[in-house]
Amino acid sequence: MTRIRRRTARAAATAAASALLLAGAGTATATATASGTVAATAASAASGDVSVFGGLEVKVVQPYEPVDISETLQMGLLPQGKQNYVVSHPDRFAAGVEYAKGLVGDDIRPDSMSLGVSSENGEVRLITGAWRLAEAPREIRVTFGDDDWSYLAQIVQLPGSPGWGTYYFDVERWDLTETSFTVEGVDEDGEVFDTLEHQPWPQG
């Protein structure tokens, strides 16, 4: 069990669980491709802020196109519904897309994100979610525990300016074991538009 808490600079909103569809996948184990994630460098100790260098270009995909986000998982974005996407094993991807066509999707508030977490044996393996913003975010940062550095998630969207898209970050690829983390969305002006905090429920 986990807890997700939202901290936003623009609007107060209740935390939204991702419409993550693991079609028959159970728990996910993933190893992202090189384009999937980029490690960031440590932040300035003087400012106390977490910062990142560089960034990842937004990956633009066609509706229903399978996007390899690991050696074992694919992601697909649907024009039906609201912020509707699928994460599935390749052999179940087509069926997962057909099923998701009848779903509402995340339906998150403007200027916000959702968060989905795939885990195995209590360890976080993959982070996914949707974002809703007029233009694609400049960055979506993932910071673990009390680290002073962040990792960048890969941002994905459909052609044009649909006002929404998804993101993914493969935790296992970086051999990270911390289960508490923060996902922070940064818009084109460099402003944080939403922050989601993930913490496991205390044991015992």
Side-chain angles (χ1 to χ4, degrees):
M1 297 292 292
T2 59
R3 294 176 293 173
I4 298 173
R5 184 175 62 179
R6 165 169 280 116
R7 288 189 293 112
T8 178
R10 291 188 179 173
T14 56
S18 168
L20 177 67
L21 175 63
L22 290 173
T27 54
T29 301
T31 304
T33 58
S35 64
T37 48
V38 170
T41 58
S44 167
S47 67
D49 293 332
V50 174
S51 63
V52 294
F53 287 108
L56 295 174
E57 291 187 4
V58 175
K59 185 189 295 287
V60 178
V61 301
Q62 297 300 315
Y64 319 119
E65 177 184 344
V67 179
D68 293 328
I69 62 175
S70 75
E71 293 181 353
T72 57
L73 291 175
Q74 293 178 327
M75 172 182 283
L77 280 64
L78 286 74
Q80 294 92 351
K82 300 179 179 180
Q83 302 92 54
N84 196 4
Y85 70 102
V86 169
V87 175
S88 175
H89 288 290
D91 60 349
R92 302 183 181 95
F93 183 82
V97 166
E98 290 303 313
Y99 177 76
K101 287 180 179 179
L103 301 178
V104 174
D106 274 17
D107 195 15
I108 56 180
R109 297 188 180 195
D111 300 347
S112 69
M113 301 185 297
S114 66
L115 175 62
V117 180
S118 298
S119 61
E120 183 176 344
N121 298 324
E123 294 186 2
V124 177
R125 301 297 191 187
L126 180 69
I127 299 170
T128 62
W131 52 266
R132 185 179 176 189
L133 201 64
E135 298 293 336
R138 176 188 295 180
E139 296 171 342
I140 294 182
R141 307 169 180 169
V142 183
T143 307
F144 290 86
D146 297 324
D147 289 346
D148 291 329
W149 62 90
S150 299
Y151 300 84
L152 295 181
Q154 176 65 57
I155 299 170
V156 187
Q157 75 168 43
L158 295 173
S161 298
W164 75 278
T166 61
Y167 65 92
Y168 61 89
F169 176 74
D170 180 16
V171 178
E172 188 176 27
R173 180 177 186 269
W174 296 100
D175 197 26
L176 302 168
T177 58
E178 175 65 60
T179 55
S180 297
F181 60 86
T182 301
V183 179
E184 192 173 57
V186 180
D187 66 17
E188 282 297 323
D189 296 325
E191 299 292 332
V192 175
F193 67 89
D194 200 6
T195 302
L196 296 172
E197 298 177 344
H198 175 275
Q199 294 181 344
W201 285 105
Q203 299 297 315

